[in-house]
């Protein structure tokens, strides 16, 4: 299901919501959707970072979630930036890489942490999965005390 939803109380404007099984090529399509929303919201300054972080979250679903099903949400943060969430039905919480720096996997969340203004993982209330999220703030919002 792909649809544009009304905005929750804490976000401004419309939000994007999609639920489907992802593949290796899904990140490309979701990056295009994200850039389209960021362009419309006048938030292109965070587009490159947000696209890279979204790619990492989708790659984690492809690699680690049985059935590769997830829901992706893109919300505009009023006068601040964007929040992207990827929820899935796998209760296992992701971990950042620990160990050999030459290992092939496990660096995605390290990258998300380094590039975004904030990120986190929240278990779903019913224990059936989790939501991994990140926020990218505009330079103006990031400079305001208490914002970011």
């Amino acid at each position: 299901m792909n649809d544009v939803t009304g905005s929750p109380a804490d976000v401004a404007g419309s939000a994007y919501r999609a639920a489907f099984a992802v593949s290796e090529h899904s990140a490309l399509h979701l990056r295009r959707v994200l850039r389209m929303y960021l362009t419309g919201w006048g938030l292109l300054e965070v587009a490159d970072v947000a696209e890279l972080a979204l790619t990492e979250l989708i790659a984690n679903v492809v690699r680690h979630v049985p059935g590769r099903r997830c829901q992706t949400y893109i919300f505009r943060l009023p006068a601040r930036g964007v929040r992207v969430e990827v929820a899935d039905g796998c209760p296992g919480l992701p971990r950042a890489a620990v160990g050999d720096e030459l290992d092939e996997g496990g660096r995605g969340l390290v990258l998300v942490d380094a590039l975004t203004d904030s990120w986190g993982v929240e278990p779903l209330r019913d224990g059936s999965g989790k939501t991994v999220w990140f926020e990218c703030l505009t330079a103006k919002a990031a400079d305001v005390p208490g914002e970011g």
Side-chain angles (χ1 to χ4, degrees):
M1 170 205 304
N2 286 328
D3 63 338
V4 175
T5 63
S7 60
D10 61 341
V11 296
S14 60
Y16 174 81
R17 174 179 169 247
F20 47 84
V22 293
S23 72
E24 291 82 3
H25 304 289
S26 298
L28 171 65
H29 303 294
L30 287 167
R31 284 194 307 267
R32 288 179 179 160
V33 169
L34 177 58
R35 185 165 289 264
M36 180 185 71
Y37 273 82
L38 293 174
T39 298
W41 292 333
L43 296 171
L44 276 178
E45 72 180 86
V46 302
D48 291 339
V49 168
E51 287 177 11
L52 182 55
L54 175 58
T55 299
E56 292 301 331
L57 298 190
I58 296 301
N60 282 344
V61 172
V62 170
R63 285 187 198 106
H64 303 294
V65 174
R68 298 179 170 182
R69 295 204 59 81
C70 70
Q71 299 81 43
T72 304
Y73 305 93
I74 301 169
F75 302 110
R76 179 177 182 193
L77 300 173
R80 294 181 52 204
V82 66
R83 178 181 175 107
V84 176
E85 301 178 357
V86 176
D88 63 60
C90 184
L93 300 180
R95 295 179 290 128
V98 181
D100 189 343
E101 59 192 39
L102 297 178
D103 286 344
E104 287 188 25
R107 306 241 187 290
L109 292 177
V110 173
L111 188 62
V112 170
D113 181 53
L115 294 175
T116 65
D117 293 289
S118 59
W119 75 279
V121 180
E122 299 169 5
L124 297 179
R125 290 184 185 142
D126 65 2
S128 66
K130 66 188 168 298
T131 298
V132 183
W133 60 270
F134 66 84
E135 293 180 354
C136 294
L137 306 179
T138 63
K140 187 176 184 180
D143 291 338
V144 176
E147 297 286 321

